[in-house]
Amino acid sequence: MDLVTLWFWLIALTFTLYFFLEGFDFGVDLLRPMLARTEPEERALTGTIGPFWDGNEVWVIAAAGLMFSTFPVWYGAVFSGMYPLFVLILLALLLRGVSFEYRNQVDSARWRAFWDWMSFGGSLVPSFLWGVIMAKLIEGLPVDGDGRVEGGFAAMFSPFSLVGGATTLLLFMLHGANFLLLRLHTDTVLYDRARRAALRWGALATVAIVAFVVMGYVTEDLFEDFGVVPWAFPVAAFLTLASIWLALSRRRDTLAFTMSGLTVLFATVTVFIALFTRGEVLPSTLDPDFGLTLRETASQHYTLVLMTWVGAIFLPLIIGYQIWNYYVFRERVRPDEGALNHGY
């Protein structure tokens, strides 16, 4: 494996880790208005993700930084071509972070409700737009012969990208519900509501994933160059989703969370497999010859060597810290005590 290929898959790894980790805390925030009935329940749900949410966001910073340093042309085309979407995601994440810090600064129900809805919006926007962005990477953008992306905000949205947005949104809600089953005490009403939410949103996520896979197969030739029979990936998706339902029905919470995590992993890796097998990291909808290939967007060899040493040092440190953080805050939460212990 050469350095260009290595760094492409390391970027895929960072995005996969980001969607796996941030996906469930987005999901918890999206489910909170539907699950919490009282202030202790609100604080408990926030407490389940309180020690983790900011650490999870490290991976999107890492992904963007690695793209910038190892594939600057790809980075420039994607981030400039979909600039409005990334600005909306950034503003939503900033608003979400502020809401966590400000929510309990004033002893007022109206004040807390305002920041709860700001947190909800700060999770809703990126959950949907990340799916749009991933779909557009497959579908392509109007890239001209000079590698510049033409078109405006409306060019970001198509039936395929909208289905991609709905898919990530619903999948994160399912992932968040399964995470709550691991974090809430099993003898609480919140735990029972989270289980029902996992079954409900899991059914909708299944429909969305099937629609995305079918549209990708029919309109985007998503599995054309995978090197395997086209139906292998849809079948894998069905099996993973079926395992979630089976685990929930048998009250195997760890298995349910693992399967929803694997579904997130499968969906993310599928996007990068599609890009890698096509040889284009950003197809052009104007002319197939204008698409950006993996090789032509990569940095020089010296830069890739330098980044390999940097990645070899810092990526294990980040992963090790997060494992330690999750271990320290592994205890389950209950509405009357857990959230308060975490400072939320």
Side-chain angles (χ1 to χ4, degrees), residues 33-178:
M34 311 169 201
L35 300 183
R37 303 288 188 272
T38 64
E39 175 59 18
E41 290 178 349
E42 290 271 6
R43 292 171 68 91
L45 291 178
T46 305
T48 61
I49 59 174
F52 312 125
W53 67 270
D54 49 353
N56 294 342
E57 291 181 356
V58 166
W59 289 107
V60 72
I61 300 172
L66 293 179
M67 281 186 69
F68 175 77
S69 57
T70 57
F71 295 93
V73 178
W74 184 24
Y75 171 90
V78 170
F79 278 78
S80 63
M82 292 189 276
Y83 182 76
L85 303 188
F86 285 108
V87 169
L88 289 174
I89 289 175
L90 178 61
L91 292 176
L93 293 178
L94 290 173
L95 182 64
R96 184 169 182 257
V98 169
S99 69
F100 282 125
E101 300 300 328
Y102 278 29
R103 184 185 186 275
N104 295 312
Q105 297 301 315
V106 176
D107 187 15
S108 166
R110 184 173 298 179
W111 172 271
R112 289 192 295 267
F114 172 79
W115 288 112
D116 285 341
W117 284 108
M118 292 301 100
S119 181
F120 174 84
S123 298
L124 177 66
V125 170
S127 295
F128 180 78
L129 291 184
W130 276 120
V132 172
I133 291 170
M134 291 294 110
K136 291 304 292 184
L137 289 179
I138 297 173
E139 190 176 33
L141 292 172
V143 181
D144 63 18
D146 296 324
R148 293 191 296 265
V149 179
E150 301 178 355
F153 185 71
M156 304 298 102
F157 299 98
S158 64
F160 184 63
S161 67
L162 291 174
V163 171
T167 300
T168 53
L169 177 65
L170 293 169
L171 184 55
F172 288 170
M173 294 180 75
L174 168 63
H175 199 34
N178 286 332

Side-chain angles (χ1 to χ4, degrees), residues 15 17 22 35 46 51 62 70 84 95 97 125 141 159 170 173 178 213 226 231 257 260 282 307 318 323 329:
F15 273 109
L17 288 172
E22 191 84 313
L35 300 183
T46 305
T70 57
L95 182 64
V125 170
L141 292 172
L170 293 169
M173 294 180 75
N178 286 332
V213 168
F226 271 36
W231 46 262
F257 178 74
S260 64
L282 187 61
M307 287 303 300
I318 297 172
I323 292 174
F329 294 100

Side-chain angles (χ1 to χ4, degrees), residues 114-289:
F114 172 79
W115 288 112
D116 285 341
W117 284 108
M118 292 301 100
S119 181
F120 174 84
S123 298
L124 177 66
V125 170
S127 295
F128 180 78
L129 291 184
W130 276 120
V132 172
I133 291 170
M134 291 294 110
K136 291 304 292 184
L137 289 179
I138 297 173
E139 190 176 33
L141 292 172
V143 181
D144 63 18
D146 296 324
R148 293 191 296 265
V149 179
E150 301 178 355
F153 185 71
M156 304 298 102
F157 299 98
S158 64
F160 184 63
S161 67
L162 291 174
V163 171
T167 300
T168 53
L169 177 65
L170 293 169
L171 184 55
F172 288 170
M173 294 180 75
L174 168 63
H175 199 34
N178 286 332
F179 178 73
L180 287 175
L181 297 180
L182 296 181
R183 294 287 290 144
L184 294 170
H185 275 281
T186 57
D187 59 349
T188 61
V189 176
L190 269 181
Y191 175 88
D192 295 331
R193 292 177 191 155
R195 178 173 295 281
R196 290 194 295 270
L199 291 169
R200 182 185 311 116
W201 294 107
L204 294 175
T206 302
V207 174
I209 290 173
V210 170
F212 183 78
V213 168
V214 170
M215 290 184 70
Y217 177 73
V218 173
T219 66
E220 303 301 327
D221 296 326
L222 185 58
F223 312 111
E224 181 180 7
D225 301 316
F226 271 36
V228 295
V229 286
W231 46 262
F233 284 86
V235 168
F238 280 119
L239 291 177
T240 306
L241 291 167
S243 299
I244 297 174
W245 179 86
L246 183 63
L248 289 171
S249 63
R250 296 189 175 184
R251 305 183 74 85
R252 300 285 298 275
D253 299 339
T254 302
L255 180 60
F257 178 74
T258 301
M259 289 299 103
S260 64
L262 286 176
T263 305
V264 173
L265 182 150
F266 170 82
T268 308
V269 172
T270 297
V271 172
F272 284 91
I273 290 177
L275 299 178
F276 185 77
T277 55
R278 288 177 177 180
E280 289 184 331
V281 289
L282 187 61
S284 173
T285 57
L286 298 179
D287 188 324
D289 294 333

